DNA sequence: ATGCGGTACCTAGACTGTCAAGGTATACGG
DNA sequence: CCGTATACCTTGACAGTCTAGGTACCGCAT
């Protein structure tokens, strides 16, 4: 499952990544695994989506990175929110909830 | 407003259109206006997104169309759900709710 | 020793759906 | 008669995801 949600993720992954990092610094691979775990595998984060997203967010100055060592002693790139990232998270979270309420109001009226 | 939800709509418009038609036959223009109204303009349906979507859905045999005359006596193309469309609506609604619950569980934990 | 699966990163190219911006035509009100 | 609204359509740019490939290292079982 989670196989055909491909298009739905569009534009949402960035927000999910930002949110994940709001709990503290994490490396890329761990971000993906955390999102999957937290959603019971309902959302699968492909590496071909993840790394471009991280690059994108860092270029927009919403994240900063540093090379370090993972829990399993492997080289890993750790990402952390910047101040602008924290702000962007608030905005895009609000935006997503607004959007999702709108969709819900059509798909599941009366709930 | 509703201006930056662009990417979020990705993959959701089809479902919204199907759902709109589940209330009965409607022409394209009316579908768009209905979605906008129903969501308090939170979702704006651009014609450049709508018509390709209708074409797409009809090609997939989820909709059928006929030319007719609108409430305002203008030529208009009316769309109706097919059986497969009704089925697709059920599936994609369930899929969207699943997805949106997953996102919510990350963005708004404890709610 | 060798191979496999997991960790961890990266990238190129295809694909898909949205949008902006153009266009056509008709009807109605001022 | 001119602007606005209704109603349809299309082209091209763009953005984000996915598939499928790759690198490198580690531990474990064969």
């Amino acid at each position: 499952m989670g196989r055909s949600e491909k298009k739905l993720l569009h534009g949402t992954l960035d927000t999910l990544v930002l949110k994940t990092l709001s709990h503290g610094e994490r490396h890329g691979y761990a971000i993906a695994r955390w999102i999957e775990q937290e959603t019971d595998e309902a959302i699968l984060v492909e590496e071909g989506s993840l790394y471009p997203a991280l690059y994108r967010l860092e270029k927009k100055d919403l994240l900063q990175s540093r090379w370090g060592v993972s829990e399993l002693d492997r080289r890993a790139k750790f990402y952390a929110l910047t101040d602008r990232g924290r702000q962007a998270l608030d905005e895009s979270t609000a935006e997503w909830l607004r959007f999702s309420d709108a969709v819900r109001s059509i798909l599941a009226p009366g709930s």
Side-chain angles (χ1 to χ4, degrees), chain A residues 50-109:
Chain A
L50 174 70
Y51 293 112
L54 290 171
Y55 177 76
R56 210 157 57 222
L57 293 168
E58 187 171 16
K59 208 178 61 173
K60 284 202 267 179
D61 199 32
L62 305 182
L63 300 183
Q64 59 187 16
S65 66
R66 65 165 186 90
W67 282 99
V69 174
S70 79
E71 317 76 48
L72 297 170
D73 274 325
R74 288 207 182 70
R75 133 188 186 287
K77 206 190 222 169
F78 287 80
Y79 290 89
L81 281 183
T82 61
D83 286 340
R84 300 193 57 229
R86 225 172 301 275
Q87 190 185 329
L89 170 59
D90 290 343
E91 287 160 10
S92 68
T93 298
E95 181 183 315
W96 194 86
L97 292 173
R98 210 160 47 234
F99 172 76
S100 129
D101 282 342
V103 175
R104 263 193 153 69
S105 77
I106 288 196
L107 294 188

Side-chain angles (χ1 to χ4, degrees), chain A residues 14-79:
Chain A
D14 290 27
T15 308
L16 294 178
V17 167
L18 291 174
K19 183 67 182 186
T20 303
L21 292 173
S22 75
H23 301 119
E25 199 188 44
R26 258 183 189 75
H27 58 82
Y29 195 80
I31 295 172
R33 296 296 81 77
W34 188 82
I35 293 175
E36 295 181 348
Q37 218 176 292
E38 208 68 12
T39 63
D40 283 319
E41 257 74 29
I43 295 176
L44 298 183
V45 181
E46 305 294 337
E47 308 203 346
S49 313
L50 174 70
Y51 293 112
L54 290 171
Y55 177 76
R56 210 157 57 222
L57 293 168
E58 187 171 16
K59 208 178 61 173
K60 284 202 267 179
D61 199 32
L62 305 182
L63 300 183
Q64 59 187 16
S65 66
R66 65 165 186 90
W67 282 99
V69 174
S70 79
E71 317 76 48
L72 297 170
D73 274 325
R74 288 207 182 70
R75 133 188 186 287
K77 206 190 222 169
F78 287 80
Y79 290 89

